[in-house]
Short mmCIF file of all heavy atoms in Angstrom, two decimals:
data_model
loop_
_atom_site.label_atom_id
_atom_site.label_comp_id
_atom_site.label_asym_id
_atom_site.label_seq_id
_atom_site.Cartn_x
_atom_site.Cartn_y
_atom_site.Cartn_z
N ARG K 98 -22.43 -22.05 -62.67
CA ARG K 98 -21.10 -22.33 -62.15
C ARG K 98 -20.75 -23.80 -62.28
O ARG K 98 -19.61 -24.22 -62.60
CB ARG K 98 -20.86 -21.90 -60.77
CG ARG K 98 -20.83 -20.34 -60.57
CD ARG K 98 -20.54 -19.92 -59.21
NE ARG K 98 -20.44 -18.46 -59.14
CZ ARG K 98 -19.30 -17.69 -59.44
NH1 ARG K 98 -18.20 -18.34 -59.83
NH2 ARG K 98 -19.33 -16.40 -59.37
N TYR K 101 -18.64 -25.18 -65.32
CA TYR K 101 -17.22 -25.08 -65.47
C TYR K 101 -16.39 -26.00 -64.63
O TYR K 101 -15.18 -25.99 -64.52
CB TYR K 101 -16.66 -23.69 -65.40
CG TYR K 101 -16.79 -22.99 -64.04
CD1 TYR K 101 -16.25 -23.55 -62.84
CD2 TYR K 101 -17.51 -21.78 -63.95
CE1 TYR K 101 -16.47 -22.82 -61.68
CE2 TYR K 101 -17.66 -21.14 -62.73
CZ TYR K 101 -17.11 -21.58 -61.60
OH TYR K 101 -17.23 -21.05 -60.40
N GLN K 118 -10.84 -23.98 -66.68
CA GLN K 118 -11.12 -23.24 -67.86
C GLN K 118 -11.18 -24.24 -69.07
O GLN K 118 -10.29 -25.10 -69.16
CB GLN K 118 -9.99 -22.26 -68.18
CG GLN K 118 -10.02 -21.11 -67.25
CD GLN K 118 -8.75 -20.11 -67.40
OE1 GLN K 118 -7.74 -20.32 -66.88
NE2 GLN K 118 -9.03 -19.24 -68.33
N ASP K 127 -18.00 -21.18 -72.42
CA ASP K 127 -18.77 -20.00 -72.12
C ASP K 127 -18.86 -19.72 -70.62
O ASP K 127 -18.66 -18.65 -70.15
CB ASP K 127 -20.14 -19.98 -72.69
CG ASP K 127 -20.13 -20.06 -74.30
OD1 ASP K 127 -19.07 -19.76 -74.88
OD2 ASP K 127 -21.15 -20.44 -74.88
N ALA K 128 -19.12 -20.71 -69.88
CA ALA K 128 -19.33 -20.58 -68.48
C ALA K 128 -18.02 -20.22 -67.77
O ALA K 128 -17.95 -19.39 -66.90
CB ALA K 128 -19.90 -21.88 -67.78
N SER K 129 -16.88 -20.91 -68.10
CA SER K 129 -15.64 -20.65 -67.57
C SER K 129 -15.20 -19.23 -67.89
O SER K 129 -14.58 -18.52 -67.05
CB SER K 129 -14.57 -21.68 -67.92
OG SER K 129 -14.32 -21.68 -69.32
N ASN K 130 -15.42 -18.79 -69.15
CA ASN K 130 -15.07 -17.43 -69.53
C ASN K 130 -15.93 -16.40 -68.72
O ASN K 130 -15.37 -15.35 -68.29
CB ASN K 130 -15.18 -17.24 -71.11
CG ASN K 130 -14.15 -17.95 -71.85
OD1 ASN K 130 -13.13 -18.39 -71.32
ND2 ASN K 130 -14.38 -18.07 -73.11
N TYR K 131 -17.15 -16.68 -68.64
CA TYR K 131 -18.07 -15.64 -68.02
C TYR K 131 -17.74 -15.57 -66.58
O TYR K 131 -17.60 -14.33 -66.09
CB TYR K 131 -19.51 -16.07 -68.12
CG TYR K 131 -20.45 -15.13 -67.55
CD1 TYR K 131 -20.81 -13.88 -68.23
CD2 TYR K 131 -20.91 -15.39 -66.25
CE1 TYR K 131 -21.64 -12.96 -67.48
CE2 TYR K 131 -21.79 -14.42 -65.56
CZ TYR K 131 -22.13 -13.24 -66.14
OH TYR K 131 -22.89 -12.36 -65.61
N PHE K 132 -17.59 -16.66 -65.83
CA PHE K 132 -17.40 -16.48 -64.40
C PHE K 132 -15.94 -16.15 -64.05
O PHE K 132 -15.64 -15.83 -62.93
CB PHE K 132 -17.86 -17.74 -63.74
CG PHE K 132 -19.35 -17.96 -63.64
CD1 PHE K 132 -20.01 -18.85 -64.51
CD2 PHE K 132 -20.07 -17.13 -62.86
CE1 PHE K 132 -21.28 -19.00 -64.51
CE2 PHE K 132 -21.50 -17.18 -62.87
CZ PHE K 132 -22.10 -18.18 -63.65
N ARG K 133 -15.05 -16.29 -64.97
CA ARG K 133 -13.66 -15.71 -64.78
C ARG K 133 -13.77 -14.28 -64.75
O ARG K 133 -13.05 -13.60 -63.98
CB ARG K 133 -12.75 -16.24 -65.78
CG ARG K 133 -11.29 -16.12 -65.46
CD ARG K 133 -10.35 -16.93 -66.30
NE ARG K 133 -8.98 -16.49 -66.23
CZ ARG K 133 -8.19 -16.77 -65.27
NH1 ARG K 133 -8.59 -17.55 -64.31
NH2 ARG K 133 -6.82 -16.32 -65.28
N VAL K 134 -14.47 -13.62 -65.65
CA VAL K 134 -14.62 -12.23 -65.79
C VAL K 134 -15.53 -11.59 -64.80
O VAL K 134 -15.29 -10.43 -64.33
CB VAL K 134 -15.00 -11.80 -67.20
CG1 VAL K 134 -15.31 -10.38 -67.28
CG2 VAL K 134 -14.00 -12.29 -68.18
N ASN K 135 -16.58 -12.29 -64.40
CA ASN K 135 -17.59 -11.64 -63.59
C ASN K 135 -17.72 -12.46 -62.23
O ASN K 135 -17.60 -13.77 -62.21
CB ASN K 135 -18.98 -11.93 -64.26
CG ASN K 135 -19.06 -11.18 -65.53
OD1 ASN K 135 -19.13 -9.95 -65.56
ND2 ASN K 135 -18.99 -11.83 -66.76
N PRO K 136 -17.91 -11.71 -61.11
CA PRO K 136 -17.88 -10.27 -61.07
C PRO K 136 -16.49 -9.67 -61.19
O PRO K 136 -15.54 -10.36 -61.00
CB PRO K 136 -18.54 -9.95 -59.72
CG PRO K 136 -18.05 -11.09 -58.91
CD PRO K 136 -18.12 -12.28 -59.84
N HIS K 137 -16.49 -8.36 -61.60
CA HIS K 137 -15.23 -7.66 -61.60
C HIS K 137 -15.37 -6.38 -60.76
O HIS K 137 -16.45 -5.82 -60.69
CB HIS K 137 -14.83 -7.43 -63.13
CG HIS K 137 -16.03 -6.93 -63.92
ND1 HIS K 137 -16.68 -7.78 -64.77
CD2 HIS K 137 -16.71 -5.79 -63.97
CE1 HIS K 137 -17.75 -7.15 -65.27
NE2 HIS K 137 -17.69 -5.86 -64.90
N GLY K 213 -14.20 -5.21 -68.14
CA GLY K 213 -14.04 -6.59 -67.97
C GLY K 213 -12.73 -7.08 -68.33
O GLY K 213 -12.49 -8.28 -68.62
N HIS K 215 -8.67 -8.17 -68.14
CA HIS K 215 -7.90 -8.96 -67.15
C HIS K 215 -7.06 -8.06 -66.25
O HIS K 215 -6.94 -8.22 -65.07
CB HIS K 215 -6.98 -9.87 -67.94
CG HIS K 215 -6.20 -10.76 -67.14
ND1 HIS K 215 -4.83 -10.34 -66.67
CD2 HIS K 215 -6.32 -11.96 -66.56
CE1 HIS K 215 -4.40 -11.29 -65.94
NE2 HIS K 215 -5.19 -12.31 -65.84
N TRP K 365 -6.39 -9.42 -62.83
CA TRP K 365 -7.23 -10.67 -62.70
C TRP K 365 -8.61 -10.22 -62.39
O TRP K 365 -9.36 -10.83 -61.60
CB TRP K 365 -6.67 -11.59 -61.66
CG TRP K 365 -5.38 -12.31 -62.09
CD1 TRP K 365 -5.34 -13.47 -62.92
CD2 TRP K 365 -4.09 -11.93 -61.83
NE1 TRP K 365 -3.97 -13.73 -63.16
CE2 TRP K 365 -3.23 -12.82 -62.47
CE3 TRP K 365 -3.50 -10.88 -61.19
CZ2 TRP K 365 -1.80 -12.80 -62.43
CZ3 TRP K 365 -2.05 -10.71 -61.13
CH2 TRP K 365 -1.31 -11.81 -61.73
N PHE K 366 -9.06 -9.18 -63.18
CA PHE K 366 -10.44 -8.69 -63.16
C PHE K 366 -10.85 -8.17 -61.83
O PHE K 366 -12.06 -7.97 -61.53
CB PHE K 366 -11.46 -9.88 -63.55
CG PHE K 366 -10.96 -10.62 -64.79
CD1 PHE K 366 -10.43 -11.95 -64.54
CD2 PHE K 366 -11.17 -10.14 -65.99
CE1 PHE K 366 -9.96 -12.67 -65.66
CE2 PHE K 366 -10.69 -10.90 -67.09
CZ PHE K 366 -10.07 -12.15 -66.95
N GLY K 367 -9.86 -7.70 -61.01
CA GLY K 367 -10.13 -7.18 -59.61
C GLY K 367 -10.33 -8.19 -58.61
O GLY K 367 -10.52 -7.81 -57.48
N LYS K 368 -10.18 -9.46 -58.95
CA LYS K 368 -10.35 -10.48 -58.00
C LYS K 368 -9.05 -10.57 -57.13
O LYS K 368 -8.06 -10.09 -57.44
CB LYS K 368 -10.66 -11.83 -58.67
CG LYS K 368 -11.99 -11.91 -59.27
CD LYS K 368 -12.26 -13.25 -59.97
CE LYS K 368 -13.71 -13.45 -60.46
NZ LYS K 368 -14.17 -12.52 -61.46
N HIS K 370 -6.50 -13.08 -54.73
CA HIS K 370 -5.75 -14.38 -54.73
C HIS K 370 -5.38 -14.76 -53.39
O HIS K 370 -4.61 -14.21 -52.76
CB HIS K 370 -4.45 -14.35 -55.64
CG HIS K 370 -4.81 -14.13 -57.07
ND1 HIS K 370 -3.85 -13.93 -58.06
CD2 HIS K 370 -5.97 -14.11 -57.78
CE1 HIS K 370 -4.36 -13.81 -59.20
NE2 HIS K 370 -5.68 -13.86 -59.05
N MET K 421 -8.63 -18.03 -56.47
CA MET K 421 -8.93 -16.82 -57.04
C MET K 421 -10.41 -16.51 -56.88
O MET K 421 -11.24 -17.35 -57.32
CB MET K 421 -8.56 -16.80 -58.54
CG MET K 421 -8.92 -15.62 -59.29
SD MET K 421 -8.27 -15.74 -61.01
CE MET K 421 -9.26 -14.52 -61.90
N GLU K 428 -15.22 -19.71 -56.55
CA GLU K 428 -13.97 -19.90 -57.28
C GLU K 428 -14.07 -19.40 -58.65
O GLU K 428 -14.98 -19.62 -59.45
CB GLU K 428 -13.63 -21.40 -57.37
CG GLU K 428 -13.07 -22.01 -56.20
CD GLU K 428 -12.52 -23.44 -56.52
OE1 GLU K 428 -13.35 -24.28 -56.77
OE2 GLU K 428 -11.32 -23.66 -56.54
N ALA K 429 -13.07 -18.60 -59.09
CA ALA K 429 -13.00 -18.29 -60.51
C ALA K 429 -12.35 -19.46 -61.17
O ALA K 429 -11.34 -19.95 -60.70
CB ALA K 429 -12.12 -16.96 -60.65
N PRO K 430 -12.81 -19.85 -62.30
CA PRO K 430 -12.25 -21.03 -63.04
C PRO K 430 -10.92 -20.74 -63.42
O PRO K 430 -10.55 -19.69 -63.98
CB PRO K 430 -13.26 -21.24 -64.16
CG PRO K 430 -14.01 -19.94 -64.38
CD PRO K 430 -14.07 -19.38 -63.01
N SER K 431 -10.00 -21.72 -63.26
CA SER K 431 -8.52 -21.54 -63.65
C SER K 431 -7.94 -22.89 -63.74
O SER K 431 -8.21 -23.82 -62.91
CB SER K 431 -7.89 -20.71 -62.51
OG SER K 431 -6.51 -20.78 -62.79
N ASN K 432 -7.04 -23.15 -64.72
CA ASN K 432 -6.34 -24.38 -64.91
C ASN K 432 -5.11 -24.41 -64.01
O ASN K 432 -4.32 -25.42 -64.08
CB ASN K 432 -6.00 -24.67 -66.29
CG ASN K 432 -7.27 -25.00 -67.09
OD1 ASN K 432 -8.32 -25.52 -66.49
ND2 ASN K 432 -7.25 -24.76 -68.37
N VAL K 433 -4.83 -23.37 -63.32
CA VAL K 433 -3.78 -23.34 -62.31
C VAL K 433 -4.26 -23.09 -60.92
O VAL K 433 -4.08 -23.93 -60.03
CB VAL K 433 -2.68 -22.21 -62.72
CG1 VAL K 433 -1.65 -22.09 -61.64
CG2 VAL K 433 -2.01 -22.47 -64.02
N GLY K 434 -5.00 -21.98 -60.72
CA GLY K 434 -5.43 -21.59 -59.49
C GLY K 434 -6.19 -22.60 -58.66
O GLY K 434 -6.05 -22.85 -57.41
#
Side-chain angles (χ1 to χ4, degrees):
R98 291 187 178 273
Y101 61 60
Q118 290 176 270
D127 293 343
S129 61
N130 287 346
Y131 178 82
F132 288 107
R133 190 164 168 82
V134 173
N135 297 286
H137 41 261
H215 179 273
W365 288 275
F366 315 102
K368 293 180 167 66
H370 293 174
M421 176 176 164
E428 276 191 297
S431 170
N432 290 336
V433 175

